[in-house]
Each structure stands twice: as structure tokens, then as C-alpha cells.
Amino acid sequence: MGVRELGLPERIGSEGPLPTEVTIWEVGPRDGLQNEAEIVPVEVKLEFLDRLAGAGLTTLEATSFVHPKWVPQLADAEEVLARLRRHDGVRYPVLVPNERGLGRALAAGVTHVAVFASATETFARRNLNSGLDAQFAMFEPVIGRAREAGLDVRGYVSMCFGDPWEGAVPPEQVVAVGKRLLDAGCSQLSLGDTIGVATAASVERVIDAFTEAGVAVGDLAVHFHDTYGQALANTLAALRRGVTTVDSSAGGLGGCPYAESATGNLATEDLVWLLDGLGIKHGVDLDALVETSVWMARQLGRPSPSRVVRALAG
Ligand SMILES: CC(=O)SCCNC(=O)CCNC(=O)[C@H](O)C(C)(C)COP(=O)(O)OP(=O)(O)OC[C@H]1O[C@@H](n2cnc3c(N)ncnc32)[C@H](O)[C@@H]1OP(=O)(O)O
């Protein structure tokens, strides 16, 4: 797929004010690891989570309560949560696709969950064994029951900026999926560029489509993959549109097992470098984080793809 096939912008690069503070939603322990072929021992996952909290990250997406056959790497979700050393002031959201997953998460004592919807038909089938419309029959009862149990629920929307099977994804289709999640009770939407094809222009276009449809920009987060080297440019575009929650993965780990060409997430270190340069508060100790990613890279047996990790620890 060429970038021009994803659509050309009506306008480019409008300047907005930057936020003073950003929440980094660290997805390394979940999104970062879910695609690893070799099973990472529970002890390593626990130390990873502990080190990330020690580095100042306050939102750590810990694992997923999905079907273990679909994501074998996260089949140890119960054990990870049972043995997790919880740090004060840190939240540990988990992914739940369905009622079975929510039941498991509730039994494990979670306080924050996330459902993950697809903006396209094909990915809903491949990732959820469902469909664009049918997926809501799975999510809506989950969101309702989670809210009744007092949990906070985030809604991911995957393939917001392009899909490997369907190509361009109309922004209104993305907005329709996102609004249904908000209407069902999600407190925040994370707009996923699952295969990393977004550009600053398409980020603006999708965020604008949400705000034009009456969604507050404060309810939006962004989730970029760095496949085409655009994740930081896309983040800056989102910040200028008023987004203040950014997903990233320590050391740039990551990828989705059900999305062809989904490579590493935006690296948290690269994000922190950008935010520091812009004078935006985030609360993360970069040295401690780089040390953590170098340690994790050793556990996985290959170097971190993060430019900042390589520059500082190289
Ligand atoms: C962009 C991203 O990164 S998203 C994250 C990465 N992708 C994922 O994690 C994929 C997650 N997808 C899935 O886990 C699956 O597609 C599901 C669970 C949503 C749907 O799978 P299906 O096979 O259609 O589930 P279905 O409801 O038919 O149940 C089949 C069996 O799985 C079991 N099951 C279903 N959900 C779960 C769950 N969350 N945990 C454990 N077991 C489960 C059922 O109990 C049933 O068991 P049985 O055969 O013994 O009765």
C-alpha cells in the first residue's frame, strides 16, 4: 500500500497550542510482549513491570485476559496479576475482549480494563473472530458489567488510519466505532495506528472527525506504531490537536499477532525525549527507563529498536 492510497489531506500542519503535561500509557508489558514467540518467564514480566513503575510510569498495561490459544504469550495473566508488586499511584489496566475475559480480570482484582474494537470488518474477523457490527454484541455487556463493578473502561479502536487488507479507512467509520464505545460507557478512546501507516495529516483528519462529531479531545488518546518512522511526527500532530494521553512501549517493543506488518510501538524513550524537548511534563526518569529497556532487550536476546535507547546506551 502506498501512502497516497490512504488519502490526501485537505489542509496540513495547523498549529495548535501544546499541552503542559502528558500522561504516558505504557503498553510494553502487554502490547510489547504479546507478539514474542518465545514465552517470557513470569519473573521477567514482573521485574519489567516493577522497573517501569520505578522509572516513574504511572499507567502500566499489565497483560490481557484473551483466549490463551490466541495469544499464548499472555496465558499467564492470572499469575502475573497475583504476583504483581503494585506501586502506590500506579494503575495496571488489562485488556478484556469478552465476558469470559472480564470475569477472569475481576477475579484477579483489576480496577482498569480496556476493550479493543476494530475500525474495519477484516480486522474484526481476524483479531476477534467477529465483525464490524457484531463486535459490539461482545463489548457492550462487558463495558456495562465492568462499569457496574466500579471499573474504569478504556476503548481501543484498531486500524484507525489504514488497514492492510482494506487500505484507506474512512474517518467517519472510525468515529462511528469510537462513539459506540463511548456511548456504551468507555471513559477514553485510544486511536490505534495498528500498522503504523498514519501521517501527521491523517492524524489531524481523524482527530478532527471526532471533535466535529462532538467528542471531547480530552477523551482521546493516541497509539502509534513506528513502522514507517512516523510515530513521533504523528504524536506531535496529536499533541497540537489537544491530545494529552499517548500510548508507548518501553524500548519500542511490540506488534500485533493478528495484523500483518504491525511492527514496534512508539518507544517510550523516544516519546520522553520529544516531550522533554518541548518542555512537557511526564514524570518519567529517562535514565532509569533506558536501563530497563537495555535489561529487557538482554532478556529477549536482541537490541532495542528505540533510537534514544541506542543513542544513550549504545
Ligand atoms: C491491536 C491489538 O493489539 S489487540 C490485542 C491482540 N489480539 C488479541 O489479543 C486477540 C484476542 N482475541 C481472542 O482472544 C479471541 O478472538 C476471542 C476470545 C475474542 C474470540 O474467540 P472465539 O474463539 O470466537 O471465542 P468463543 O467465544 O467462541 O469461545 C471459544 C472458547 O474460548 C473460551 N474463551 C473465550 N474467551 C476467553 C477468554 N477471554 N479467556 C479464556 N478463554 C476464553 C471459551 O470459554 C470457549 O471455550 P470452550 O470451547 O471450552 O467452551
Side-chain angles (χ1 to χ4, degrees):
M1 165 194 333
V3 72
R4 300 286 286 266
E5 289 160 39
L6 299 171
L8 286 171
E10 279 160 32
R11 53 184 186 278
I12 311 174
S14 50
E15 298 277 307
L18 287 165
T20 54
E21 194 164 354
V22 156
T23 299
I24 299 179
W25 190 290
E26 170 62 47
V27 298
R30 193 279 301 174
D31 205 357
L33 294 184
Q34 71 184 9
N35 210 23
E36 285 295 322
E38 293 280 315
I39 300 295
V40 177
V42 175
E43 285 69 25
V44 172
K45 291 177 179 171
L46 293 170
E47 184 169 345
F48 188 35
L49 283 156
D50 205 42
R51 283 172 176 256
L52 291 170
L57 287 152
T58 53
T59 306
L60 298 178
E61 201 166 87
T63 186
S64 291
F65 287 91
V66 295
H67 195 299
K69 277 194 216 133
W70 283 63
V71 186
Q73 182 60 251
L74 304 181
D76 56 9
E78 273 84 0
E79 190 180 354
V80 167
L81 282 190
R83 295 175 55 192
L84 180 64
R85 187 162 79 90
R86 288 177 168 76
H87 290 239
D88 286 346
V90 177
R91 49 189 178 161
Y92 297 91
V94 298
L95 257 57
V96 295
N98 55 12
E99 295 227 56
R100 177 78 203 285
L102 178 63
R104 291 172 59 203
L106 286 171
V110 306
T111 54
H112 293 72
V113 294
V115 296
F116 45 105
S118 172
T120 68
E121 180 70 36
T122 315
F123 192 59
R125 292 195 184 285
R126 290 188 174 241
N127 196 46
L128 296 162
N129 199 22
S130 187
L132 188 55
D133 196 48
Q135 62 185 339
F136 292 99
M138 183 160 68
F139 299 135
E140 280 161 358
V142 173
I143 299 167
R145 202 173 127 212
R147 291 291 303 274
E148 270 166 39
L151 306 190
D152 189 68
V153 188
R154 176 185 233 214
Y156 278 96
V157 185
S158 304
M159 302 295 179
C160 291
F161 305 93
D163 173 285
W165 303 281
E166 298 183 19
V169 182
E172 52 279 14
Q173 191 172 313
V174 180
V175 171
V177 169
K179 281 200 86 167
R180 274 183 85 168
L181 292 175
L182 288 173
D183 290 346
C186 287
S187 59
Q188 182 182 68
L189 295 179
S190 174
L191 307 180
D193 182 19
T194 316
I195 54 166
V197 292
T199 60
S202 55
V203 169
E204 291 178 354
R205 192 161 57 221
V206 170
I207 293 174
D208 289 351
F210 272 100
T211 50
E212 280 156 21
V215 174
V217 73
D219 292 342
L220 301 177
V222 285
H223 181 108
F224 294 125
H225 286 249
D226 210 23
T227 323
Y228 292 87
Q230 304 298 304
L232 281 178
N234 293 341
T235 302
L236 185 57
L239 296 177
R240 289 213 184 275
R241 278 295 195 267
V243 169
T244 56
T245 302
V246 180
D247 300 0
S248 62
S249 172
L253 293 170
C256 174
Y258 295 101
E260 281 165 20
S261 71
T263 56
N265 289 70
L266 166 62
T268 309
E269 290 85 351
D270 299 10
L271 172 62
V272 164
W273 189 270
L274 173 73
L275 296 177
D276 280 343
L278 295 171
I280 297 174
K281 281 197 273 177
H282 51 75
V284 176
D285 175 342
L286 183 58
D287 291 337
L289 183 60
V290 168
E291 213 176 290
T292 299
S293 291
V294 170
W295 168 85
M296 194 63 200
R298 269 202 307 273
Q299 309 302 315
L300 299 175
R302 58 171 195 279
S304 161
S306 158
R307 295 290 181 88
V308 171
V309 171
R310 279 191 266 155
L312 294 180

